[in-house]
Amino acid sequence: AQKVTQAQTEISVVEKEDVTLDCVYETRDTTYYLFWYKQPPSGELVFLIRRNSFDEQNEISGRYSWNFQKSTSSFNFTITASQVVDSAVYFCALTDNYGQNFVFGPGTRLSVLP
Amino acid sequence: DSGVTQTPKHLITATGQRVTLRCSPRSGDLSVYWYQQSLDQGLQFLIQYYNGEERAKGNILERFSAQQFPDLHSELNLSSLELGDSALYFCASSAKAGGLSFSYNEQFFGPGTRLTVL
């Protein structure tokens, strides 16, 4: 069965610190997709990134970067120079090539303090 | 504003009842996804439709059903409601998915419908 673990339940950092959110996944599929979503205190969900299992290139988008390591089944998310607006719950998710068995991690609550 | 609308915003009903949640995707988006977020179960994917056809199915209960209409709006029907169905239900849409294989393009989420079952 597919599984996503986000071991960090809550993280607090001070503004401008870098922070990494961990995501470890389990799957027997060779083709799969990984995602990160953000849920700010207002409650809406925001899609951040999708990565397929054949693309191991790390990605950078502004202050956000993602490190995909198939060898350790991890897809970690780093925020550089964090800001108060980054405070949110962040979810990692996994699905197979057909959109079945879509699984979310339990989320990591990030608090960025001024 | 994501461009995805969901109605109603809040819904309060009693156990055993049936409700319909509505989602209008962004203009031009063919895929619609439904998710449930509850305190007990966390965030769960329910179902995806693409251009009127069911494309992927997640942890959707048999008491729940969904459909996507020719104008691409989607409805999620929840029946024989139980206390545990109380949750935030999100709809998302994405642009055309390519080919026959599953392709999760960037999704845009609606604000959600908060369902309370008393």
Side-chain angles (χ1 to χ4, degrees):
Chain A
Q2 311 217 124
K3 185 178 177 182
V4 173
T5 301
Q6 295 179 257
Q8 305 148 309
T9 306
E10 294 192 34
I11 301 176
S12 284
V13 299
V14 177
E15 210 170 15
K16 297 184 184 174
E17 285 184 7
D18 298 348
V19 57
T20 295
L21 309 183
D22 297 333
C23 173
V24 174
Y25 61 93
E26 293 177 29
T27 181
R28 293 181 179 176
D29 297 325
T30 54
T31 302
Y32 51 89
Y33 290 84
L34 293 160
F35 309 82
W36 277 95
Y37 299 84
K38 173 182 179 180
Q39 188 172 38
S42 52
E44 76 270 22
L45 276 169
V46 179
F47 175 100
L48 295 178
I49 190 171
R50 174 201 67 173
R51 172 68 66 210
N52 76 50
S53 52
F54 294 108
D55 183 359
E56 290 191 68
Q57 270 194 329
N58 291 327
E59 180 149 345
I60 298 175
S61 176
R63 296 184 296 106
Y64 294 172
S65 62
W66 289 269
N67 184 354
F68 177 32
Q69 301 244 349
K70 278 177 88 167
S71 59
T72 55
S73 297
S74 66
F75 185 43
N76 296 337
F77 173 33
T78 297
I79 302 174
T80 302
S82 59
Q83 299 176 1
V84 173
V85 293
D86 296 326
S87 296
V89 180
Y90 291 86
F91 295 95
C92 181
L94 163 72
T95 189
D96 64 23
N97 192 37
Y98 300 97
Q100 310 295 336
N101 301 313
F102 197 107
V103 177
F104 284 87
T108 295
R109 182 177 299 277
L110 173 66
S111 298
V112 181
L113 307 174
Chain B
D1 185 355
S2 67
V4 178
T5 60
Q6 288 187 249
T7 56
K9 279 192 172 179
H10 302 277
L11 197 47
I12 301 174
T13 188
T15 54
Q17 295 298 304
R18 173 191 169 94
V19 298
T20 297
L21 312 184
R22 182 187 169 108
C23 169
S24 292
R26 290 188 323 157
S27 177
D29 283 357
L30 298 180
S31 279
V32 170
Y33 313 81
W34 285 99
Y35 299 86
Q36 178 197 58
Q37 186 174 30
S38 66
L39 288 175
D40 290 341
Q41 304 281 347
L43 200 48
Q44 294 194 95
F45 165 68
L46 296 180
I47 198 164
Q48 179 205 1
Y49 278 83
Y50 173 67
N51 203 21
E53 294 193 4
E54 183 182 304
R55 179 57 66 92
K57 209 165 186 174
N59 296 327
I60 188 165
L61 300 173
E62 285 192 14
R63 300 183 286 107
F64 296 0
S65 65
Q67 59 185 136
Q68 187 179 26
F69 295 86
D71 67 353
L72 301 176
H73 90 272
S74 178
E75 293 181 356
L76 179 66
N77 300 296
L78 316 176
S79 61
S80 301
L81 284 168
E82 302 175 359
L83 296 178
D85 298 327
S86 295
L88 193 50
Y89 290 85
F90 288 104
C91 163
S93 73
S94 67
K96 179 179 177 179
L100 294 176
S101 68
F102 177 77
S103 176
Y104 245 121
N105 296 318
E106 180 177 2
Q107 300 157 60
F108 296 85
F109 285 84
T113 292
R114 182 167 295 283
L115 173 66
T116 302
V117 182
L118 301 176

